[in-house]
Amino acid sequence: MEFFSQTYVALRGPTGAPQTPSDTINRLSDRLSPATLLADRRAAVLALKGLSRDCKKDVGDRALPGLLEVLSNDAEVDGDIGKAVIETLHLLCDTEEGEAAGKELGFAYTDHVLANEKATHTLLGLLGDQNFYTRFATLQYISVLLHNRRQLVQGYFLNSPNGTRNVVSVLEDKREIIRNEAITMVQALISQSPDIQKVLAFEGAFEKLFNIVTQEGGVEGGAVTSGALTCIDGLLRFNTSNQSYFRETPLPPVLCSLLLFPPNLQIRDAAPQEFALQFWDKPKQTNASLIIGVLGMLVGSKGGSAQESSAFTRCLVEIALASNAPTPLKTQSLRLLPPNLTFPLSDLILTPYMPVPETNGEEWDRLEPASALDVLVELALHGEYNGMESGKRSKDGLELRTAGVAVFENFIQKEEIRQSVIQAMLPPEGSSGAAPVTPLLHALISPPNAASALDPANVTSTHLSTLIFSHLLRSSPRAKALARSITPTPMSALPDPNDGAFFVPADGGPPPPPPEAEDDDEPPQSVLQILSENLSLSFLSRSRASASDRESREWDRLVVGYLCLLSQWLWEDPQSVREFLDAGGFGVLVEPINQTSEADTVVPALCAFLLGICYEFDREPGEITRATIYPILNRLSVDTLVGRMARLREDERFKAVGPDSVVLPYPSASYLQPSLKPETEDEGEIWFDWAFVDFWKSNYYTIQRGFSTEPDQLSSSSSGQNAEAAILVASLREMIRTQSQEIETLQRKVKELTSSNVDEVAALKTQVESLSSELQQAAEKHKETEKEQEDLLVLLDEVTSKRKKDKARLREIGQEVSEDEAEEDDEEDDEE
């Protein structure tokens, strides 16, 4: 009692004297000295912890050095004082709560704690302590230090003697709270530090994290699974060394298994239904998104085997095209497919599904199997599930469809593939019948409905078909020549696309045959002529005075799709220009240039651009020539044409388009038409894709200069590439691409052969060492045998000599010796 009384008096001060927090903190700080008892230091730390909330500055300024001494000397010895001092330091360095002054103090005290590596190494050592409170408080405090000064803590971690081992061991802690806090700390620790990512990976972090995911129920898990998958992503992303190491482990196939996709599924085998049809909630969607992100990262990076890349790519394709996964997951899967896509989409047969109406997604119809390429085009043209909700035009749905268009563009990069796609729209060789109308061609040539209000779903379908068709034609003279030869069946003879022209439920029969076309004396029209007519009809319907602002905007979008396709088709293709002009396309373009408004800048600009292309590449003989067009250009005024084109560059619908941002919120540039309101909260719209924006920016000045060129002068682009040069450049590019792929293939084979040779050499070395060891043992054994034989000979000689002496003695004393023995002795003497 006397001790406690003296301690209380020492802290209280003289009787009656006022006690301030500063005085108390000074006295408690003095009690942190190593000269005091451990119990006194523990009591002082607990008291300072209570005061640090209200007197943060006083405690930090006066007691921080002493607290760090206690951390170094006592935390490992006493769990209670270790927990208290770490929590006190946590409060002092916290920058998340409080006012600005308190945050500044937190950063200042963090800098003091991290002035050297001693405190950090002590904390990392305490992670090995099995005491719950010590380990938990340590994890929380390290997370705070990482939040405040991440790079400094990471540098100290790399120099820590046991930091890596302790961090990985914490991930195996059976206590859920400890493990979850460790995952949070690891996320911050590995951020932007390839070196730490490597040391943790080689220490076994991948295995520990996948064990956590499995224990939490796989993709069905909650926040813990999400945290572990985030750590796996952080260890792999932008770290080629870890990616190579990860591929050498048995873990990559587990990624597909977590999504219920068999990793060893053959391309001719269908995906299981339990993979295609799953129940989805928000946590599961988050976890699946992380797994898909890792799969896409591995597919897009170099170094993986062909079998692994094929399995991962098919998993992404199946999720996007033949599953009931949420729309954002499908979009993510398509976007993560590699740009140089070599996966055989046309050979892979998928079994799509469609939800049964009014079942809330609980019942699904299995549809007829189709190739992945056909399903991809169908998805882009009509949306998910054969366009069940394409009329809503949600932003997520449009993102998915444009992602499908981008995958199609990547797939047809090779000239022979795009030509084969266009060839499928032509009648078979030697056949006099009409060309088959594919879903893409059907959506492209469908005439707009001018008799009633436009259907937004049909507008979007036609617009996306123009994007897909432009990808087939861009920079390919051969593809353009084939496209000019397409003469599809008249639309009046085709079935209604809304009657299930593409997909048929698996339990139903085939679609009814199309009605026979009536005899028509008019020759069949080419696609270019049909597009010219549809464009003219769209302009006429667009000018109706009764159209609302929303309907006028739909007509504008349809016209923009036609104009963008025609601009890329006619570029550097004089024969296509001639066909377009002969079909009356020139007169269609002139009127919109003169009729403009503040809200109408896109259509006049594209009309002026296409008019410039017609003038630039009008080199074939015909009724409308450059000499015919030139006076009209002067009457329209070159400055006016250039001004119309210049305004497009400032339009928000053009400026907002990027490589990954094609879908815009509806209505973009709404300040020009305040009456436009979205029908749904997430309604979106599409105007341009990045390929056309890049095409426009590359050729804008060529057309601008061409307006001022005289008809009898060389066109402004004649100094550049002509059609033959374009063909040559395209073929050279294809040759370079092919050679690059061959080089990559050969390099991969060399690497495989090198690795196999290394294994063979190692095996031979092992065999030689084994044989050398056996030979050495045999030689030693032979030496031992020879030595034994020499010893036996010596012994035999000694025995023989002794025997002779014994017989001689026996004769001397008169004993009889047998004759045989005597003869043997004589023989031995003779031999000697």
Side-chain angles (χ1 to χ4, degrees):
M1 287 296 295
E2 183 178 0
F3 167 75
F4 289 111
S5 176
Q6 292 175 353
T7 303
Y8 171 73
V9 171
L11 294 175
R12 183 197 64 188
T15 304
Q19 192 71 214
T20 64
S22 180
D23 295 337
T24 303
I25 292 170
N26 287 335
R27 294 179 181 276
L28 292 173
S29 301
D30 294 338
R31 307 296 295 179
L32 298 176
S33 170
T36 59
L37 296 175
L38 179 61
D40 293 346
R41 295 197 295 276
R42 185 189 307 116
V45 171
L46 291 171
L48 289 170
K49 174 185 172 184
L51 291 170
S52 61
R53 299 182 183 275
D54 298 325
C55 306
K56 183 174 182 177
K57 186 177 188 311
D58 292 334
V59 173
D61 292 345
R62 182 68 181 86
L64 186 56
L67 291 172
L68 293 177
E69 287 295 324
V70 173
L71 175 68
S72 301
N73 300 329
D74 301 331
E76 296 182 3
V77 177
D78 185 85
D80 293 334
I81 196 172
K83 170 179 175 293
V85 70
I86 293 172
E87 291 177 346
T88 305
L89 292 171
H90 185 172
L91 292 171
L92 294 177
C93 297
D94 187 21
T95 58
E96 290 295 313
E97 300 179 0
E99 300 177 353
K103 294 181 179 179
E104 292 180 1
L105 285 174
F107 284 116
Y109 295 146
T110 299
D111 292 337
H112 185 87
V113 172
L114 299 177
N116 55 62
E117 60 186 15
K118 183 178 180 181
T120 305
H121 287 182
T122 301
L123 292 170
L124 293 173
L126 289 174
L127 289 178
D129 193 331
Q130 294 299 320
N131 183 279
F132 172 83
Y133 296 103
T134 301
R135 179 173 274 191
F136 182 68
T138 303
L139 288 170
Q140 287 188 315
Y141 185 45
I142 293 177
S143 298
V144 169
L145 295 178
L146 286 167
H147 177 270
N148 295 349
R149 296 288 185 264
R150 175 174 49 81
Q151 293 181 349
L152 196 56
V153 177
Q154 289 173 336
Y156 292 155
F157 173 83
L158 291 172
N159 297 327
S160 175
N162 52 5
T164 304
R165 182 178 63 256
N166 289 346
V167 167
V168 174
S169 66
V170 173
L171 294 174
E172 295 181 297
D173 200 304
K174 302 300 181 183
R175 294 163 291 192
E176 185 175 351
I177 298 178
I178 297 290
R179 187 189 59 194
N180 298 351
E181 193 65 33
I183 292 174
T184 303
M185 188 269 290
V186 169
Q187 291 180 23
L189 182 64
I190 65 177
S191 176
Q192 300 180 11
S193 178
D195 293 334
I196 294 180
Q197 295 166 9
K198 291 178 186 178
V199 297
L200 289 180
F202 284 96
E203 193 68 28
F206 283 129
E207 290 78 2
K208 307 300 185 297
L209 292 169
F210 272 97
N211 288 339
I212 294 174
V213 173
T214 304
Q215 293 169 7
E216 291 294 320
V219 73
E220 304 283 351
V224 178
T225 299
S226 176
L229 291 172
T230 302
C231 288
I232 294 172
D233 184 277
L235 291 171
L236 290 172
R237 196 165 297 278
F238 309 121
N239 195 318
T240 56
S241 175
N242 277 7
Q243 291 174 12
S244 300
Y245 171 75
F246 181 73
R247 287 190 174 98
E248 295 174 359
T249 68
L251 296 175
V254 178
L255 294 169
C256 294
S257 301
L258 289 173
L259 296 172
L260 304 183
F261 182 81
N264 298 322
L265 188 67
Q266 300 297 320
I267 192 169
R268 60 182 177 275
D269 297 333
Q273 184 170 326
E274 56 267 21
F275 161 76
L277 302 179
Q278 304 183 43
F279 290 100
W280 295 92
D281 54 18
K282 195 65 178 178
K284 181 176 180 179
Q285 181 178 342
T286 302
N287 296 334
S289 177
L290 290 168
I291 296 174
I292 291 172
V294 176
L295 287 175
M297 180 202 318
L298 296 175
V299 169
S301 61
K302 296 182 180 180
S305 64
Q307 181 179 0
E308 176 188 280
S309 298
S310 177
F312 291 169
T313 302
R314 180 172 181 186
C315 181
L316 296 177
V317 170
E318 292 275 0
I319 290 173
L321 303 180
S323 77
N324 69 337
T327 303
L329 291 184
K330 295 183 177 181
T331 305
Q332 182 186 11
S333 299
L334 289 177
R335 287 179 173 172
L336 288 175
L337 292 174
N340 54 342
L341 183 61
T342 58
F343 189 78
L345 293 178
S346 54
D347 297 335
L348 175 62
I349 303 301
L350 302 179
T351 304
Y353 294 84
M354 179 184 292
V356 177
E358 300 179 359
T359 60
N360 196 26
E362 295 182 359
E363 297 182 14
W364 294 77
D365 274 337
R366 181 170 55 85
L367 307 179
E368 285 294 324
S371 72
L373 184 60
D374 290 338
V375 178
L376 179 68
V377 174
E378 175 72 15
L379 172 68
L381 293 178
H382 302 296
E384 285 183 288
Y385 313 126
N386 204 22
M388 287 187 63
E389 298 183 354
S390 60
K392 295 182 180 179
R393 214 158 52 185
S394 65
K395 198 169 185 296
D396 285 343
L398 291 178
E399 293 280 5
L400 174 60
R401 297 169 72 176
T402 55
V405 174
V407 172
F408 182 85
E409 179 186 7
N410 295 333
F411 179 72
I412 62 168
Q413 285 182 357
K414 291 185 177 181
E415 183 70 17
E416 59 268 21
I417 296 179
R418 65 172 67 186
Q419 289 184 21
S420 65
V421 174
I422 299 177
Q423 194 72 42
M425 305 178 193
L426 296 171
E429 294 184 7
S431 173
S432 59
V437 178
T438 63
L440 171 59
L441 192 57
H442 191 287
L444 182 65
I445 65 176
S446 296
N449 186 2
S452 60
L454 272 178
D455 183 1
N458 291 338
V459 173
T460 305
S461 177
T462 301
H463 192 178
L464 289 171
S465 69
T466 61
L467 300 182
I468 294 175
F469 206 74
S470 65
H471 293 321
L472 288 170
L473 304 182
R474 189 182 303 111
S475 303
S476 176
R478 176 59 180 162
K480 293 178 181 179
L482 288 173
R484 287 196 305 271
S485 305
I486 301 175
T487 53
T489 304
M491 293 298 299
S492 58
L494 296 177
D496 187 351
N498 296 324
D499 291 340
F502 184 72
F503 283 134
V504 181
D507 55 356
E516 295 183 0
E518 298 180 358
D519 293 337
D520 196 346
D521 296 335
E522 295 183 2
Q525 290 182 306
S526 68
V527 172
L528 200 52
Q529 293 170 334
I530 295 174
L531 291 177
S532 178
E533 285 189 4
N534 290 350
L535 178 61
S536 177
L537 180 59
S538 299
F539 274 126
L540 290 175
S541 302
R542 175 176 175 267
S543 61
R544 288 185 306 179
S546 60
S548 63
D549 287 345
R550 189 177 185 90
E551 186 177 355
S552 297
R553 194 176 182 88
E554 295 300 321
W555 283 112
D556 285 350
R557 186 178 297 107
L558 185 60
V559 167
V560 165
Y562 288 137
L563 292 174
C564 291
L565 170 58
L566 290 170
S567 298
Q568 297 172 86
W569 190 341
L570 303 187
W571 182 263
E572 293 185 336
D573 191 359
Q575 294 182 357
S576 296
V577 171
R578 172 53 48 206
E579 185 174 344
F580 176 72
L581 293 177
D582 291 343
F586 181 74
V588 175
L589 301 176
V590 175
E591 186 177 355
I593 298 175
N594 289 322
Q595 299 176 357
T596 60
S597 65
E598 187 65 27
D600 185 16
T601 61
V602 174
V603 173
L606 293 175
C607 287
F609 185 66
L610 184 54
L611 182 61
I613 291 176
C614 292
Y615 180 67
E616 184 75 13
F617 299 102
D618 185 7
R619 301 169 188 165
E620 295 289 327
E623 183 179 353
I624 301 177
T625 62
R626 286 172 60 88
T628 309
I629 300 175
Y630 187 70
I632 300 175
L633 295 180
N634 288 333
R635 188 162 63 248
L636 291 173
S637 173
V638 173
D639 292 339
T640 300
L641 295 172
V642 173
R644 296 282 188 269
M645 292 171 57
R647 292 183 66 184
L648 178 63
R649 299 174 67 92
E650 305 302 324
D651 193 283
E652 291 296 329
R653 290 167 286 186
F654 185 87
K655 290 167 54 179
V657 175
D660 298 321
S661 57
V662 177
V663 181
L664 307 178
Y666 184 93
S668 53
S670 58
Y671 61 89
L672 299 176
Q673 294 175 292
S675 61
L676 290 175
K677 301 295 180 183
E679 293 182 348
T680 58
E681 183 178 354
D682 63 339
E683 185 176 3
E685 61 180 356
I686 304 170
W687 288 90
F688 305 99
D689 64 348
W690 176 249
F692 177 78
V693 172
D694 185 57
F695 170 79
W696 169 281
K697 292 179 178 178
S698 301
N699 302 307
Y700 165 80
Y701 290 107
T702 300
I703 299 303
Q704 179 179 327
R705 293 194 306 270
F707 285 135
S708 304
T709 306
E710 297 288 339
D712 54 351
Q713 293 179 351
L714 292 175
S715 62
S716 60
S717 63
S718 61
S719 60
Q721 299 175 354
N722 53 23
E724 295 179 358
I727 295 175
L728 178 60
V729 170
S731 63
L732 291 175
R733 286 177 178 171
E734 180 62 25
M735 186 183 300
I736 292 173
R737 186 182 300 112
T738 304
Q739 290 177 350
S740 299
Q741 293 177 353
E742 290 177 356
I743 290 173
E744 291 180 2
T745 304
L746 292 174
Q747 289 177 344
R748 191 180 303 111
K749 289 182 178 178
V750 168
K751 185 177 180 181
E752 293 175 357
L753 290 174
T754 303
S755 60
S756 62
N757 289 338
V758 169
D759 296 339
E760 291 178 3
V761 170
L764 291 174
K765 286 183 177 179
T766 305
Q767 187 176 1
V768 169
E769 292 176 356
S770 176
L771 293 174
S772 300
S773 177
E774 293 177 1
L775 181 61
Q776 185 176 0
Q777 292 176 359
E780 292 177 354
K781 188 175 182 181
H782 181 66
K783 290 181 180 180
E784 292 178 357
T785 304
E786 288 181 348
K787 186 178 180 181
E788 289 179 357
Q789 290 178 351
E790 291 177 356
D791 293 341
L792 290 174
L793 290 174
V794 172
L795 180 61
L796 180 61
D797 186 59
E798 293 177 352
V799 171
T800 303
S801 175
K802 184 179 179 183
R803 186 181 178 187
K804 290 179 180 179
K805 293 178 181 179
D806 292 340
K807 288 182 178 181
R809 290 176 183 174
L810 289 173
R811 289 191 184 99
E812 289 176 357
I813 61 176
Q815 294 291 333
E816 293 184 359
V817 179
S818 64
E819 296 180 358
D820 294 338
E821 291 177 352
E823 292 177 357
E824 289 177 1
D825 293 340
D826 295 340
E827 290 177 357
E828 289 176 359
D829 293 339
D830 294 340
E831 290 177 357
E832 292 178 356

